[in-house]
Amino acid sequence: MQLFIEQLINGCALGALYALFGLGFGIVFSTLGILNAAHGSYASWAAIAALAAVEQLKLPFLPALVVGVVGGGLLAVVVDQIAFQPLRKRGSGMLGALITSIAFWIILDNLAGTATGQQSLSFPRGSYPGTMFRIGDIPIPAMQLITVAVMLVVTFGLHMLIRRSRFGAAMRAVGWNQTAASLGGVNPRYVVIVTAFIAGATSGLAGVLGGITTHNVSFLLGEGLLLKGFAAVVVGGYDDVRGTAVAGVGLGVLEVMSAQYLSSGLRDGITYALLLTFLLVRPRGLFGSLGFSRP
Amino acid sequence: MKSWNLKNVSLAGAALAALFVHVGPVSAQGLAPGDYKVGFVTENTGAIASAGQSYWNGAQLAAEEVKTQKYLGGASIVLDPKESGSDAARAIQATNQFVADPSLLAISCCILSPVAGSLKPIVTEAKTPLVIFGATAAGLPQLPYVYSMTILPGPKDKATALTIVDAVKPKTAAYILAADNDAFKGRMNATREALEAKGVTTAGVVSVLTKDTDFTAAATQAMGLKADIILVYATQGAAAGAITALKDRGYAKTIVGNDVLSPASIFKKMGDSVVGVPFPVSFSDSIVETPEAKAFVAAYQKKFNAAPDIYSAQGYQVVWFIAQGLKSLSGKPTREALGQALSKVTKIDHQVYGGEAMNNGQAETAGTLVVAWSAEGKIVPWVAPK
């Protein structure tokens, strides 16, 4: 039983990373209409920026985290304005944006590889909360608690922003029809830029927290999150952040439990079989109101 | 008079013959001056680029030394790099391009065994020597065209595990295995059999995947087996991640690593997580004995401002091995001739591991060095905990 509980906690913490990553991924898809393959690169670059802040600027954990998150957000805005805005102006479809995002994914990952000397780096011990809490015999690392808590706060915040604020209404309007939104007094360009920033920042948050907990800061960091984040969005429903959060945690738990009680070799197969099942049986996901397609 | 004349003629004839025997072969054995091109399939990008860069650095240094030391007289080795990113398709493409280049004599490649295996039929068909620098699967060498300068880690793993078992005397052992890597699977199975023969029961095998980044669950699973010792058979990233996760979760018993822990970048990344974890090593800059090895460490440090690791040593040895084969040839050698010459090499002239020999195209060394990282970041002989 103790092992089960320990693995459940591990699964929740891993799933929280998938969820965090998936939140931004889903927002970009639902608002900007882009299936952004470069989204993982924002996570890698955010972790690299935070690590540089720790090692070069000697910043403590929280300011370094902010550097990474803001860095991820700014990178997303830059990529959006260079890569996607011209396509948006020309009214290119989803395929053009997807191909462009793949190009940026490769470019940004190559640059990240160069920046890290093709090495897998890690945050120095002592630069992040390393306390191990114990509930009875069950050890819980502080970073796992922080990751889950951050995911819950961000999910709640994003849900409130999208569903209960004027800006959220503007986001949804732009996501549905930019022309109609601008006729209604919304500045689509502003909404697009802020949305891209939020998406990049949440991806960056996942990148920094993931880089710390997995001791892996490299160009491969985002790649590992990309497919799982995508799966979380599809399973959860891409237009509801609560669904992404639940599905992300569920995927993490499923992944860990499959490895513990079935086989680690089948782990990814199980995850993607679930993804396929949802696409076939319930394409709008757990909480989504729309299918996995955009006009 | 007649006999004198005959005697003198005989002597003169013998002298001429001796002169011919002495001079003739020397001029025939001399390698024609010029550049001899060796294709090098680099792996300077991709998931294992950190190792790939070390191989490439070592090879470049050796090529420079062959030239500056005039090891081949007026001839030198020129490396022609083509990047594969450890991708089999790109490695095959690069090899086909090398094969099509008539000025090229040999090829070197491959960290990954499947990639090396995919190049074997190409080079044997093209009768072009291929010297592998990193792949560890047994059976890759195939005379006279395929050679491996990687010291096979399997026997070292087994010897290391047995040494540690003798010192620690565990009753049960658990294994963390990169299940998607056949070479590590073979290494683990060989060690497991040896340990079981010594009465060490297997508590279980925890599988991880090479591309995994989160090892918390695997560490939890391994600790749940409550074994007296955990042996890790995984690629560098996975091994480092698994050991760090075990230490993070408070595992205080013996963890046994493998040779992937030896590069300095691992200590830099893992820090105290790896201190005291025993592993076998064929080369370490802090434990070198031969003059060639000491010179290699100094030259590498000077050129790259970093300490060489096992991978740089293997890349370095590839070029010196090819140079040794070339040295035995004369005139303008062909690829076939170089292949035949390399197949005759049984002892490596330029030693950096110590006691290096070639056995059916496979580099070997005698003995196993069981080492561990010290808290100061040096590789030191492993000492059993008291």
PDB file of all heavy atoms in Angstrom, chain B residues 82-97:
ATOM      1  N   LYS B  82      31.237  14.152 -41.418  1.00  0.00           N
ATOM      2  CA  LYS B  82      29.853  14.316 -41.879  1.00  0.00           C
ATOM      3  C   LYS B  82      28.950  13.990 -40.692  1.00  0.00           C
ATOM      4  O   LYS B  82      29.096  12.944 -40.066  1.00  0.00           O
ATOM      5  CB  LYS B  82      29.544  13.381 -43.048  1.00  0.00           C
ATOM      6  CG  LYS B  82      30.184  13.810 -44.363  1.00  0.00           C
ATOM      7  CD  LYS B  82      29.600  13.075 -45.547  1.00  0.00           C
ATOM      8  CE  LYS B  82      30.451  13.222 -46.798  1.00  0.00           C
ATOM      9  NZ  LYS B  82      30.609  14.615 -47.244  1.00  0.00           N
ATOM     10  N   GLU B  83      28.016  14.877 -40.400  1.00  0.00           N
ATOM     11  CA  GLU B  83      27.200  14.753 -39.194  1.00  0.00           C
ATOM     12  C   GLU B  83      26.019  13.790 -39.387  1.00  0.00           C
ATOM     13  O   GLU B  83      25.351  13.820 -40.419  1.00  0.00           O
ATOM     14  CB  GLU B  83      26.686  16.154 -38.802  1.00  0.00           C
ATOM     15  CG  GLU B  83      25.750  16.203 -37.623  1.00  0.00           C
ATOM     16  CD  GLU B  83      26.395  15.753 -36.310  1.00  0.00           C
ATOM     17  OE1 GLU B  83      27.629  15.778 -36.190  1.00  0.00           O
ATOM     18  OE2 GLU B  83      25.638  15.349 -35.412  1.00  0.00           O
ATOM     19  N   SER B  84      25.792  12.963 -38.377  1.00  0.00           N
ATOM     20  CA  SER B  84      24.649  12.038 -38.439  1.00  0.00           C
ATOM     21  C   SER B  84      23.608  12.321 -37.355  1.00  0.00           C
ATOM     22  O   SER B  84      22.472  11.866 -37.464  1.00  0.00           O
ATOM     23  CB  SER B  84      25.136  10.601 -38.285  1.00  0.00           C
ATOM     24  OG  SER B  84      25.452  10.339 -36.930  1.00  0.00           O
ATOM     25  N   GLY B  85      24.008  13.032 -36.307  1.00  0.00           N
ATOM     26  CA  GLY B  85      23.072  13.242 -35.196  1.00  0.00           C
ATOM     27  C   GLY B  85      22.603  11.931 -34.582  1.00  0.00           C
ATOM     28  O   GLY B  85      21.503  11.843 -34.065  1.00  0.00           O
ATOM     29  N   SER B  86      23.438  10.886 -34.689  1.00  0.00           N
ATOM     30  CA  SER B  86      23.133   9.533 -34.175  1.00  0.00           C
ATOM     31  C   SER B  86      21.915   8.923 -34.864  1.00  0.00           C
ATOM     32  O   SER B  86      21.290   8.023 -34.330  1.00  0.00           O
ATOM     33  CB  SER B  86      22.913   9.541 -32.651  1.00  0.00           C
ATOM     34  OG  SER B  86      24.025  10.079 -32.008  1.00  0.00           O
ATOM     35  N   ASP B  87      21.598   9.426 -36.028  1.00  0.00           N
ATOM     36  CA  ASP B  87      20.449   8.913 -36.766  1.00  0.00           C
ATOM     37  C   ASP B  87      20.949   7.932 -37.831  1.00  0.00           C
ATOM     38  O   ASP B  87      21.854   8.261 -38.613  1.00  0.00           O
ATOM     39  CB  ASP B  87      19.722  10.102 -37.416  1.00  0.00           C
ATOM     40  CG  ASP B  87      18.561   9.659 -38.291  1.00  0.00           C
ATOM     41  OD1 ASP B  87      17.562   9.216 -37.717  1.00  0.00           O
ATOM     42  OD2 ASP B  87      18.673   9.745 -39.531  1.00  0.00           O
ATOM     43  N   ALA B  88      20.359   6.725 -37.856  1.00  0.00           N
ATOM     44  CA  ALA B  88      20.858   5.673 -38.748  1.00  0.00           C
ATOM     45  C   ALA B  88      20.771   6.089 -40.216  1.00  0.00           C
ATOM     46  O   ALA B  88      21.713   5.866 -40.986  1.00  0.00           O
ATOM     47  CB  ALA B  88      20.074   4.387 -38.517  1.00  0.00           C
ATOM     48  N   ALA B  89      19.659   6.724 -40.596  1.00  0.00           N
ATOM     49  CA  ALA B  89      19.486   7.105 -42.005  1.00  0.00           C
ATOM     50  C   ALA B  89      20.562   8.090 -42.435  1.00  0.00           C
ATOM     51  O   ALA B  89      21.134   7.971 -43.528  1.00  0.00           O
ATOM     52  CB  ALA B  89      18.100   7.699 -42.200  1.00  0.00           C
ATOM     53  N   ARG B  90      20.846   9.053 -41.560  1.00  0.00           N
ATOM     54  CA  ARG B  90      21.874  10.053 -41.910  1.00  0.00           C
ATOM     55  C   ARG B  90      23.264   9.433 -41.915  1.00  0.00           C
ATOM     56  O   ARG B  90      24.116   9.802 -42.717  1.00  0.00           O
ATOM     57  CB  ARG B  90      21.807  11.232 -40.924  1.00  0.00           C
ATOM     58  CG  ARG B  90      20.586  12.114 -41.155  1.00  0.00           C
ATOM     59  CD  ARG B  90      20.462  13.183 -40.094  1.00  0.00           C
ATOM     60  NE  ARG B  90      21.495  14.189 -40.179  1.00  0.00           N
ATOM     61  CZ  ARG B  90      21.694  15.141 -39.270  1.00  0.00           C
ATOM     62  NH1 ARG B  90      20.885  15.207 -38.224  1.00  0.00           N
ATOM     63  NH2 ARG B  90      22.652  16.018 -39.402  1.00  0.00           N
ATOM     64  N   ALA B  91      23.489   8.483 -41.003  1.00  0.00           N
ATOM     65  CA  ALA B  91      24.794   7.798 -40.964  1.00  0.00           C
ATOM     66  C   ALA B  91      25.001   6.975 -42.244  1.00  0.00           C
ATOM     67  O   ALA B  91      26.103   6.947 -42.809  1.00  0.00           O
ATOM     68  CB  ALA B  91      24.885   6.906 -39.733  1.00  0.00           C
ATOM     69  N   ILE B  92      23.938   6.328 -42.695  1.00  0.00           N
ATOM     70  CA  ILE B  92      24.024   5.533 -43.932  1.00  0.00           C
ATOM     71  C   ILE B  92      24.302   6.457 -45.121  1.00  0.00           C
ATOM     72  O   ILE B  92      25.155   6.164 -45.976  1.00  0.00           O
ATOM     73  CB  ILE B  92      22.715   4.731 -44.146  1.00  0.00           C
ATOM     74  CG1 ILE B  92      22.625   3.608 -43.112  1.00  0.00           C
ATOM     75  CG2 ILE B  92      22.640   4.167 -45.559  1.00  0.00           C
ATOM     76  CD1 ILE B  92      21.280   2.916 -43.050  1.00  0.00           C
ATOM     77  N   GLN B  93      23.607   7.588 -45.139  1.00  0.00           N
ATOM     78  CA  GLN B  93      23.806   8.549 -46.227  1.00  0.00           C
ATOM     79  C   GLN B  93      25.258   9.039 -46.250  1.00  0.00           C
ATOM     80  O   GLN B  93      25.901   9.080 -47.305  1.00  0.00           O
ATOM     81  CB  GLN B  93      22.851   9.727 -46.016  1.00  0.00           C
ATOM     82  CG  GLN B  93      22.730  10.646 -47.207  1.00  0.00           C
ATOM     83  CD  GLN B  93      21.828  11.841 -46.892  1.00  0.00           C
ATOM     84  OE1 GLN B  93      21.536  12.130 -45.735  1.00  0.00           O
ATOM     85  NE2 GLN B  93      21.398  12.525 -47.921  1.00  0.00           N
ATOM     86  N   ALA B  94      25.770   9.371 -45.066  1.00  0.00           N
ATOM     87  CA  ALA B  94      27.163   9.847 -44.979  1.00  0.00           C
ATOM     88  C   ALA B  94      28.124   8.753 -45.433  1.00  0.00           C
ATOM     89  O   ALA B  94      29.093   9.016 -46.172  1.00  0.00           O
ATOM     90  CB  ALA B  94      27.474  10.269 -43.541  1.00  0.00           C
ATOM     91  N   THR B  95      27.859   7.517 -45.019  1.00  0.00           N
ATOM     92  CA  THR B  95      28.750   6.406 -45.379  1.00  0.00           C
ATOM     93  C   THR B  95      28.728   6.165 -46.885  1.00  0.00           C
ATOM     94  O   THR B  95      29.785   5.946 -47.507  1.00  0.00           O
ATOM     95  CB  THR B  95      28.323   5.124 -44.624  1.00  0.00           C
ATOM     96  OG1 THR B  95      28.332   5.420 -43.235  1.00  0.00           O
ATOM     97  CG2 THR B  95      29.249   3.964 -44.908  1.00  0.00           C
ATOM     98  N   ASN B  96      27.555   6.247 -47.481  1.00  0.00           N
ATOM     99  CA  ASN B  96      27.477   6.085 -48.943  1.00  0.00           C
ATOM    100  C   ASN B  96      28.268   7.171 -49.661  1.00  0.00           C
ATOM    101  O   ASN B  96      28.919   6.904 -50.667  1.00  0.00           O
ATOM    102  CB  ASN B  96      26.007   6.112 -49.399  1.00  0.00           C
ATOM    103  CG  ASN B  96      25.324   4.782 -49.145  1.00  0.00           C
ATOM    104  OD1 ASN B  96      25.951   3.721 -49.221  1.00  0.00           O
ATOM    105  ND2 ASN B  96      24.043   4.811 -48.831  1.00  0.00           N
ATOM    106  N   GLN B  97      28.213   8.372 -49.129  1.00  0.00           N
ATOM    107  CA  GLN B  97      28.986   9.467 -49.738  1.00  0.00           C
ATOM    108  C   GLN B  97      30.484   9.221 -49.584  1.00  0.00           C
ATOM    109  O   GLN B  97      31.260   9.454 -50.516  1.00  0.00           O
ATOM    110  CB  GLN B  97      28.601  10.807 -49.104  1.00  0.00           C
ATOM    111  CG  GLN B  97      27.219  11.279 -49.536  1.00  0.00           C
ATOM    112  CD  GLN B  97      26.768  12.519 -48.784  1.00  0.00           C
ATOM    113  OE1 GLN B  97      27.391  12.940 -47.812  1.00  0.00           O
ATOM    114  NE2 GLN B  97      25.668  13.094 -49.221  1.00  0.00           N
TER     115      GLN B  97
END
